[in-house]
Amino acid sequence: HYAPDLIQTAFLSNHFQWTNEFRKTEVWLGGFRLDQEAIGLHFDASYSQVKNLIYWGNYNYPVQAYDKVGITRVSLQKNFRWRQWHLNNSIIYQHANTSIVSLPPLLSYQSLYYERSFIKNAVHTQIGIDITYLSDYYPDVYNPVTGNFSNQRSIAGGNNLILEFFF
């Protein structure tokens, strides 16, 4: 159990004002992890249940959900290595039983890089690319007045690749 933050219970500014008496939030977590080090495979599954979740609603005000919010998450990770080349792969499926928790259902992360040490192993170098994919979802929007992220359902995000080169 944990109590609401001060900003969730009382706030006064030029743009917002509220006083709330929220119940304590209760969290239950369960899951398991399976690691097969011999083949470099990692599997993880978890379920979280939150009662009395406090979230930031569509109009940037804190709201408490009295129904239980459930979040399921399953991930699979497999890394490959050939000589000094590495390919790290991770895929995640997640689902919330309500729209107040906005999650991309599918995330994928790959990293392909070349790794080598130079100058008698004094300089360690990795050169490669990270590729991230997020499926369609409605990301929360930032409110600089309260410093929090609020729900929104008007602008979809995700369904794109993010490429990052590194060295």
Side-chain angles (χ1 to χ4, degrees):
H1 298 135
Y2 60 90
D5 293 335
L6 179 60
I7 194 170
Q8 294 170 333
T9 56
F11 187 76
L12 175 63
S13 76
N14 292 342
H15 305 288
F16 299 100
Q17 177 180 350
W18 61 77
T19 303
N20 296 312
E21 292 186 28
F22 290 134
R23 299 177 186 166
K24 285 186 176 182
T25 300
E26 302 173 26
V27 179
W28 177 86
L29 303 168
F32 67 93
R33 181 174 174 92
L34 177 64
D35 293 319
Q36 291 294 324
E37 294 296 335
I39 60 173
L41 185 68
H42 306 281
F43 176 80
D44 183 69
S46 64
Y47 180 77
S48 306
Q49 190 174 66
V50 183
K51 183 178 177 185
N52 300 328
L53 174 69
I54 299 171
Y55 65 98
W56 295 85
N58 294 337
Y59 300 104
N60 297 309
Y61 284 90
V63 181
Q64 186 159 45
Y66 296 107
D67 294 334
K68 293 179 182 174
V69 175
I71 300 171
T72 304
R73 182 179 186 276
V74 178
S75 69
L76 185 64
Q77 180 183 3
K78 173 71 175 150
N79 299 334
F80 299 94
R81 183 176 179 176
W82 179 71
R83 296 185 182 173
Q84 290 155 324
W85 287 94
H86 298 260
L87 177 61
N88 298 345
N89 299 283
S90 188
I91 188 163
I92 300 168
Y93 168 79
Q94 52 192 7
H95 173 75
N97 66 349
T98 177
S99 64
I100 63 173
V101 177
S102 185
L103 301 170
L106 184 64
L107 297 107
S108 175
Y109 172 78
Q110 283 72 40
S111 184
L112 174 64
Y113 61 95
Y114 179 81
E115 182 176 46
R116 183 162 180 201
S117 295
F118 297 96
I119 310 171
K120 297 182 183 179
N121 294 328
V123 179
H124 183 76
T125 305
Q126 292 181 342
I127 300 171
I129 184 171
D130 288 336
I131 303 168
T132 305
Y133 171 77
L134 303 170
S135 60
D136 279 336
Y137 75 113
Y138 290 98
D140 293 341
V141 295
Y142 183 70
N143 181 349
V145 175
T146 61
N148 290 289
F149 289 87
S150 300
N151 281 356
Q152 63 87 24
R153 293 290 174 265
S154 57
I155 301 171
N159 199 26
N160 56 1
L161 286 175
I162 301 167
L163 305 174
E164 299 178 274
F165 296 94
F166 62 90
F167 55 94

